[in-house]
Amino acid sequence: QGVHYKDYKLLLDHEFIKEMKNIQNSEGETPLHVAIKRKNIELAEILLKMDEVDRTIKDNNQKTAMDLLEATYNEDEEWKQMCDIIGVDPTSRTTYKAGLAHMRDIISVVAILLATITFTAGFTLPGGVDNSGQAVFAAKAAFVVFILSDGYAMCCSMLVLFWIMWSMVFRHRTSSSLIDRSMVLLKQSLYGTLIAFMTGVYTVLHRKSLWVAIVIFSMCSVVII
């Protein structure tokens, strides 16, 4: 692998060639498509390691390079070993253009932010508390929805953080699955946070500024839908 690998690496690092890593031929194939079809494992390995190579581009047959790689991965042990070494799992349907490590960072930041917001909201209740320490609007239906949605959002965001931590210790395929699930939970956390915000605003404004509450509801509903 030595000489060929180095030659390909030098060629692909050339300024002119850098701009052609995702170029498509008449059949819609990228250099990665071609490398996999021609069983050029050295070139394929280098391209797979490059962040700027787009693995999601489809050829004229609506096949991505990862679709082609999956077939080779299942049939050829050498290709399977190469994929395992560089951390690429073509059988995974995850298509993040950013690497898994980068996705972990992004998801973690968003999850921490949502967890902080919802945790804080749980102790700064709409309307505050009375002299006995009880929530002023505890008997209101909107307040109950606020508490439930806020708690749901916080639990989802915390679970996302646990899954992200677990994804760091598993193999690529399991890590991809955990990140996929984390994305789903992160959306749930976001929806819960929005609902908590909507109902919190309604709880404190519906008597004197109902129109404001309606506007807030409308704007947040657009985001959720």
Side-chain angles (χ1 to χ4, degrees):
Q1 183 175 338
V3 176
H4 293 296
Y5 187 94
K6 290 179 181 178
D7 290 342
Y8 284 132
K9 190 74 171 65
L10 287 172
L11 179 63
L12 291 171
D13 284 339
H14 192 279
E15 286 298 324
F16 178 73
I17 300 297
K18 278 184 177 180
E19 300 177 1
M20 303 177 64
K21 291 174 183 174
N22 293 313
I23 195 170
Q24 293 174 271
N25 60 20
S26 59
E27 297 180 1
E29 298 171 333
T30 65
L32 184 56
H33 279 90
V34 175
I36 295 170
K37 285 183 69 174
R38 296 182 179 178
K39 307 295 184 184
N40 191 328
I41 191 170
E42 292 94 348
L43 180 57
E45 179 180 345
I46 295 172
L47 290 170
L48 287 167
K49 287 180 177 179
M50 294 182 169
D51 292 334
E52 59 267 31
V53 172
D54 189 349
R55 306 175 187 176
T56 65
I57 296 175
K58 295 182 179 181
D59 60 18
N60 295 348
N61 295 319
Q62 297 302 303
K63 295 286 187 180
T64 67
M66 298 304 285
D67 292 328
L68 301 180
L69 183 59
E70 181 178 358
T72 307
Y73 178 90
N74 292 327
E75 297 171 358
D76 193 314
E77 185 62 28
E78 184 181 6
W79 281 75
K80 185 177 186 302
Q81 290 178 359
M82 180 271 289
C83 290
D84 290 342
I85 290 172
I86 65 175
V88 172
D89 183 4
T91 63
S92 172
R93 293 298 92 188
T94 301
T95 57
Y96 304 124
K97 291 178 69 174
L100 291 184
H102 187 51
M103 286 304 301
R104 285 192 197 101
D105 293 340
I106 295 173
I107 294 172
S108 297
V109 170
V110 177
I112 290 171
L113 179 61
L114 289 174
T116 303
I117 292 172
T118 51
F119 181 84
T120 304
F123 290 94
T124 54
L125 303 174
V129 296
D130 57 24
N131 294 332
S132 64
Q134 298 296 312
V136 173
F137 296 117
K140 301 291 183 180
F143 182 84
V144 173
V145 175
F146 163 81
I147 286 295
L148 291 176
S149 57
D150 185 72
Y152 176 74
M154 192 190 75
C155 290
C156 285
S157 58
M158 292 299 293
L159 188 54
V160 167
L161 292 174
F162 281 118
W163 280 356
I164 289 297
M165 286 189 290
W166 277 111
S167 73
M168 297 178 184
V169 300
F170 286 109
R171 293 174 64 88
H172 186 276
R173 186 171 187 175
T174 305
S175 295
S176 298
S177 177
L178 286 171
I179 289 177
D180 284 338
R181 295 177 184 180
S182 295
M183 286 293 291
V184 174
L185 270 185
L186 201 60
K187 291 179 182 178
Q188 294 297 311
S189 179
L190 179 60
Y191 293 153
T193 303
L194 284 171
I195 293 172
F197 176 73
M198 292 161 58
T199 52
V201 169
Y202 178 83
T203 299
V204 297
L205 292 180
H206 74 282
R207 288 185 177 178
K208 294 186 177 181
S209 301
L210 180 60
W211 70 272
V212 175
I214 293 174
V215 171
I216 295 295
F217 255 80
S218 300
M219 291 190 296
C220 291
S221 296
V222 170
V223 176
I224 293 175
I225 295 172

